[in-house]
Amino acid sequence: MLSRRGFLGAGSAALVLGLDLAGSRWVTAAEAESVPSFHRLPPLDGELVLDDDARTAVATDLGNLVHRKPRAVLRPGSTADIAAVVRFCAEHGVSVATRGQAHTTNGQGLSAGLLIENRHRARVLSVNDTSAVVESGITWKELTKTTFARTDRRTPPTLTAYTGLSVGGTLSVGGIGGLVGGLRSGLQVDHVREVEVVTGTGAVERCSATRKPDLFHAVLGGLGQCGVITEVTLDLVPAKENARTYALEYRDTAVFARDLRTLVERPGVDHVYAELFPPGTDATYKIYATAFFDRTPPDDATLTRDLGTTPQVTDAGYLDYVFTIDNAIDELSETMGWDRLLKPWYDIWLPGSTFERYLAEVVPTLTPRDIGPYGAGLIYPQRRSLATRPFPRLPKPDATGWAFVLDINTVASQAGPDPAFVEEMLARNARMFARARDAFGATLYPIGSVPFTARDWRLQYGERWQAFLDAKRRYDPKGVLTPGPGIFA
Ligand SMILES: Cc1cc2nc3c(=O)[nH]c(=O)nc-3n(C[C@H](O)[C@H](O)[C@H](O)COP(=O)(O)OP(=O)(O)OC[C@H]3O[C@@H](n4cnc5c(N)ncnc54)[C@H](O)[C@@H]3O)c2cc1C
């Protein structure tokens, strides 16, 4: 391991001193004498490790479909470490990816070159009643615990369903409101005021909507293509103490969709999402509509009037509500080894205007295996006008005012390897996505495992493709950053 002290003190056989250009591999202190061509790395505040255990531990992600072992792992102690190592990698043509919590499922955050283990940069740097400044490796869970503990109880306006995800990771994909947000707030990227970014040349830049806006936009939902997000200033809003959730079950797509659309527009309802199940199960859809409150609970009769089914009502404290999915996933991880199961996830954005038609076509074709005993089918509404950043590629706004994320988050019943299952599910995803895009105007929510060609990426970015390409050339001219999605390959 190489730290500033270790580097100066030298001596350990495990110290990484630089890159052997001839052999294209990292060079340790023990080897340095005998290797003729290597460039010395600058001193670091953190450490660079190259032992096999450390590299193997970061060679896959939650999907377990793609394996790519890096040659070295940076555990950064500062933005300067990230800048120095990215600069070094750019000079020597070594690919670099940043790893948040590695909860994408198709190798998006893997690298055969250098991997930045960003969980080591996870401090809250400052908080006030309207904003927080954080290092990008912090999880939304840690941030929310901190802001909710203030006497004036604050929360990020949009929170993912699972909050053990890093701020840098979800801001790189968009960040939809899984349990908080979506009806009256945008994506998580819509609530970012400023970011500190290390570009692909190793330059450190601070940017916002008015300062270097091209870089600001290119990193928010930009899949790590133009820079490493290192620090972020985020909006905070007042949090209520409690959450009341109404759960409603449906068999019929039309009745379900009608109630979903009623609830997302209903005053007093703060959040709505839905689960979908393969045909043959008791219910095909289940809506969860939530209202936040301090002392006085909402009026159930008012909030649930004129719906097609009777709700079950549950109350929880705000944090218990926010961590519902975290607790379920933690339990699956402990009892089922969930993290190691194969997860060929399918995640798309649908325009409001084709949502029902798409469900009516796809849901009857699903089998229990398409979701699996530990997977989930999920639907998240987003008020379209509140999603304003250019690079998360949502469908174009339409007269409905809504866009919907649809997840078919398949989880295999057993750990892999199972190449036949993976091949079948990736082919399913490619086939379903092509149809969803071409016939229903869908775009990809790029967190899952849909095989994408160069043409698919161009279609995904549409009229933004040239701007994305320009930003890539400007901010990562050597093309070393985040090879996983294969966008500019
Ligand atoms: C159980 C579960 C529930 C989920 N629920 C939701 C939800 O409700 N809403 C939602 O939007 N998403 C949800 N997701 C998806 C999730 O938002 C994405 O997978 C997200 O990218 C995961 O964050 P991470 O820290 O694991 O990122 P990683 O998988 O580590 O990284 C994702 C991508 O971003 C890049 N990256 C990571 N950090 C940085 C950085 N600092 N700078 C530049 N690039 C970086 C990586 O290289 C990679 O390409 C869920 C995922 C799971 C597993």
Side-chain angles (χ1 to χ4, degrees):
M1 293 186 293
L2 178 66
S3 62
R4 184 186 291 274
R5 200 149 46 99
F7 181 86
L8 294 174
S12 159
L15 286 183
V16 182
L17 288 187
L19 183 74
D20 166 14
L21 293 177
S24 196
R25 66 193 182 90
W26 299 94
V27 176
T28 64
E31 295 168 316
E33 295 297 312
S34 59
V35 177
S37 59
F38 70 89
H39 289 236
R40 288 173 82 87
L41 279 166
L44 300 172
D45 297 313
E47 57 194 21
L48 193 73
V49 291
L50 79 167
D51 66 87
D52 198 55
D53 285 352
R55 291 160 51 229
T56 303
V58 295
T60 192
D61 57 21
L62 192 71
N64 298 298
L65 310 179
V66 180
H67 294 81
R68 207 159 285 142
K69 198 195 287 191
R71 281 187 271 154
V73 178
L74 174 67
R75 294 176 179 157
S78 60
T79 295
D81 281 2
I82 296 175
V85 170
V86 170
R87 191 176 311 120
F88 184 87
C89 288
E91 280 166 9
H92 301 296
V94 175
S95 70
V96 189
T98 308
R99 183 181 184 87
Q101 292 293 320
H103 275 39
T104 35
T105 67
N106 208 33
Q108 284 91 331
L110 305 182
S111 164
L114 183 112
L115 192 118
I116 300 168
E117 212 175 57
N118 205 34
R119 67 186 168 87
H120 301 284
R121 304 215 60 233
R123 287 178 304 166
V124 175
L125 300 174
S126 66
V127 190
N128 63 34
D129 56 343
T130 60
S131 67
V133 183
V134 297
E135 293 178 341
S136 63
I138 194 170
T139 62
W140 290 97
K141 182 174 200 165
E142 290 310 316
L143 173 61
T144 307
K145 278 186 188 168
T146 304
T147 60
F148 192 80
R150 286 171 56 93
T151 48
D152 61 0
R153 274 201 320 275
R154 291 303 194 250
T155 178
T158 301
L159 281 172
T160 48
Y162 177 67
T163 62
L165 308 166
S166 74
V167 165
T170 69
L171 295 184
S172 297
V173 296
I176 50 159
L179 279 177
V180 177
L183 307 192
R184 278 182 282 283
S185 63
L187 307 183
Q188 288 178 325
V189 286
D190 290 291
H191 300 282
V192 173
R193 297 181 184 182
E194 188 177 88
V195 284
E196 180 193 74
V197 177
V198 172
T199 70
T201 61
V204 181
E205 305 278 6
R206 291 202 87 84
C207 49
S208 66
T210 53
R211 182 174 173 182
K212 288 199 177 278
D214 61 334
L215 180 60
F216 182 67
H217 291 307
V219 298
L220 296 179
L223 304 178
Q225 295 304 306
C226 296
V228 179
I229 301 169
T230 47
E231 281 178 23
V232 189
T233 306
L234 297 158
D235 288 342
L236 296 178
V237 294
K240 294 277 188 349
E241 258 176 85
N242 300 297
R244 172 163 291 187
T245 298
Y246 304 91
L248 304 120
E249 293 190 346
Y250 300 85
R251 296 191 78 81
D252 183 82
T253 297
V255 181
F256 155 74
R258 188 201 64 200
D259 281 5
L260 187 74
R261 287 189 187 273
T262 300
L263 284 164
V264 294
E265 299 284 5
R266 183 158 281 175
V269 174
D270 293 306
H271 186 267
V272 175
Y273 80 100
E275 272 187 284
L276 72 86
F277 306 93
T281 30
D282 286 346
T284 308
Y285 304 97
K286 192 164 180 180
I287 295 179
Y288 300 86
T290 297
F292 300 124
F293 64 99
D294 285 325
R295 295 279 141 73
T296 314
D299 181 55
D300 298 344
T302 307
L303 285 194
T304 62
R305 69 186 183 279
D306 305 328
L307 298 175
T309 177
T310 312
Q312 272 189 325
V313 185
T314 321
D315 286 345
Y318 183 77
L319 284 189
D320 287 337
Y321 164 79
V322 163
F323 300 145
T324 315
I325 305 296
D326 297 63
N327 294 337
I329 299 271
D330 288 350
E331 193 176 328
L332 280 173
S333 299
E334 279 161 31
T335 56
M336 304 307 308
W338 191 78
D339 294 5
R340 291 192 305 281
L341 301 178
L342 299 166
K343 301 181 193 70
W345 286 10
Y346 174 79
D347 311 275
I348 62 170
W349 280 105
L350 281 164
S353 56
T354 61
F355 173 65
E356 283 89 345
R357 268 203 301 123
Y358 187 72
L359 290 183
E361 175 172 309
V362 165
V363 173
T365 70
L366 297 177
T367 67
R369 199 158 163 274
D370 280 308
I371 291 180
Y374 314 116
L378 296 161
I379 290 164
Y380 296 107
Q382 172 61 52
R383 194 180 295 276
R384 183 63 185 84
S385 58
L386 299 177
T388 61
R389 303 293 185 209
F391 282 110
R393 299 305 294 158
L394 274 67
K396 288 195 180 11
D398 61 33
T400 68
W402 292 91
F404 295 88
V405 164
L406 171 73
D407 299 307
I408 297 176
N409 287 343
T410 311
V411 180
S413 50
Q414 288 173 4
D418 188 345
F421 173 80
V422 172
E423 193 182 328
E424 176 195 337
M425 289 298 162
L426 292 184
R428 176 203 69 177
N429 290 353
R431 188 179 61 247
M432 283 187 11
F433 181 73
R435 169 95 184 132
R437 179 187 59 202
D438 299 344
F440 296 90
T443 55
L444 184 75
Y445 189 40
I447 61 171
S449 309
V450 180
F452 247 42
T453 62
R455 175 175 176 271
D456 291 325
W457 282 119
R458 276 172 189 262
L459 290 174
Q460 168 81 357
Y461 284 94
E463 78 277 5
R464 293 278 171 187
W465 173 253
Q466 192 57 47
F468 201 22
L469 191 61
D470 290 346
K472 180 73 174 174
R473 288 184 179 143
R474 193 171 314 132
Y475 293 110
D476 182 23
K478 301 284 171 155
V480 292
L481 291 178
T482 321
I487 302 171
F488 299 103

